[in-house]
Amino acid sequence: MTTIQQYAALAAVLVAMAGVGRVWWQLHRLRRVLRTERAAALLTDATHERDMVAFRARVARAVAEQRAAEDFAARATADLAVIAAADAIVTAELARTTHHKPQEGESP
């Protein structure tokens, strides 16, 4: 092998090593990009899950408040019905009894 052939072989080996190095570097960068994208997807999923948990909690609180308001309204309506019935009884009793003005010394 002549010196020129040796230099040509060395140059070919160096070009091949540079090509392999470039391919390795590109694969390394691609892996880093994929890891970054995977981490971003995981963070997005976690954020979405956290937001959904918070949304469900807010909906549950709103439903509980609505039910409490409905229960309160039902109790208030029942109390008003009792008061109306008592008022009707008192009014009927007052209408049934005779009223008189007590004279001096009389007790009603």
Side-chain angles (χ1 to χ4, degrees), residues 11 38 69-70 97-98:
R38 201 173 308 131
E70 289 171 357
T97 60
T98 58

PDB file of all heavy atoms in Angstrom, residues 11 38 69-70 97-98:
ATOM      1  N   ALA A  11      -8.452   8.817   5.568  1.00  0.00           N
ATOM      2  CA  ALA A  11      -9.498   9.809   5.331  1.00  0.00           C
ATOM      3  C   ALA A  11     -10.865   9.138   5.288  1.00  0.00           C
ATOM      4  O   ALA A  11     -11.851   9.661   5.826  1.00  0.00           O
ATOM      5  CB  ALA A  11      -9.232  10.565   4.031  1.00  0.00           C
ATOM      6  N   ARG A  38     -42.345  13.712  26.075  1.00  0.00           N
ATOM      7  CA  ARG A  38     -43.024  12.789  26.983  1.00  0.00           C
ATOM      8  C   ARG A  38     -43.278  13.459  28.332  1.00  0.00           C
ATOM      9  O   ARG A  38     -44.360  13.330  28.910  1.00  0.00           O
ATOM     10  CB  ARG A  38     -42.175  11.527  27.161  1.00  0.00           C
ATOM     11  CG  ARG A  38     -42.963  10.349  27.650  1.00  0.00           C
ATOM     12  CD  ARG A  38     -42.148   9.055  27.672  1.00  0.00           C
ATOM     13  NE  ARG A  38     -41.504   8.786  26.409  1.00  0.00           N
ATOM     14  CZ  ARG A  38     -40.208   8.466  26.272  1.00  0.00           C
ATOM     15  NH1 ARG A  38     -39.433   8.372  27.325  1.00  0.00           N
ATOM     16  NH2 ARG A  38     -39.696   8.240  25.085  1.00  0.00           N
ATOM     17  N   ALA A  69     -79.967  24.399  50.070  1.00  0.00           N
ATOM     18  CA  ALA A  69     -80.955  25.467  49.855  1.00  0.00           C
ATOM     19  C   ALA A  69     -82.340  24.875  49.634  1.00  0.00           C
ATOM     20  O   ALA A  69     -83.342  25.400  50.145  1.00  0.00           O
ATOM     21  CB  ALA A  69     -80.545  26.318  48.653  1.00  0.00           C
ATOM     22  N   GLU A  70     -82.427  23.783  48.884  1.00  0.00           N
ATOM     23  CA  GLU A  70     -83.724  23.138  48.661  1.00  0.00           C
ATOM     24  C   GLU A  70     -84.289  22.576  49.961  1.00  0.00           C
ATOM     25  O   GLU A  70     -85.486  22.689  50.230  1.00  0.00           O
ATOM     26  CB  GLU A  70     -83.585  22.034  47.616  1.00  0.00           C
ATOM     27  CG  GLU A  70     -83.363  22.557  46.206  1.00  0.00           C
ATOM     28  CD  GLU A  70     -83.013  21.458  45.223  1.00  0.00           C
ATOM     29  OE1 GLU A  70     -82.881  20.285  45.656  1.00  0.00           O
ATOM     30  OE2 GLU A  70     -82.876  21.774  44.033  1.00  0.00           O
ATOM     31  N   THR A  97    -115.999  31.632  69.619  1.00  0.00           N
ATOM     32  CA  THR A  97    -116.266  32.076  70.990  1.00  0.00           C
ATOM     33  C   THR A  97    -116.944  33.428  70.976  1.00  0.00           C
ATOM     34  O   THR A  97    -116.815  34.213  70.052  1.00  0.00           O
ATOM     35  CB  THR A  97    -114.957  32.172  71.801  1.00  0.00           C
ATOM     36  OG1 THR A  97    -114.098  33.108  71.167  1.00  0.00           O
ATOM     37  CG2 THR A  97    -114.296  30.829  71.907  1.00  0.00           C
ATOM     38  N   THR A  98    -117.699  33.668  72.045  1.00  0.00           N
ATOM     39  CA  THR A  98    -118.372  34.959  72.178  1.00  0.00           C
ATOM     40  C   THR A  98    -117.438  35.913  72.885  1.00  0.00           C
ATOM     41  O   THR A  98    -116.633  35.516  73.731  1.00  0.00           O
ATOM     42  CB  THR A  98    -119.661  34.796  72.986  1.00  0.00           C
ATOM     43  OG1 THR A  98    -119.324  34.251  74.251  1.00  0.00           O
ATOM     44  CG2 THR A  98    -120.646  33.922  72.260  1.00  0.00           C
TER      45      THR A  98
END
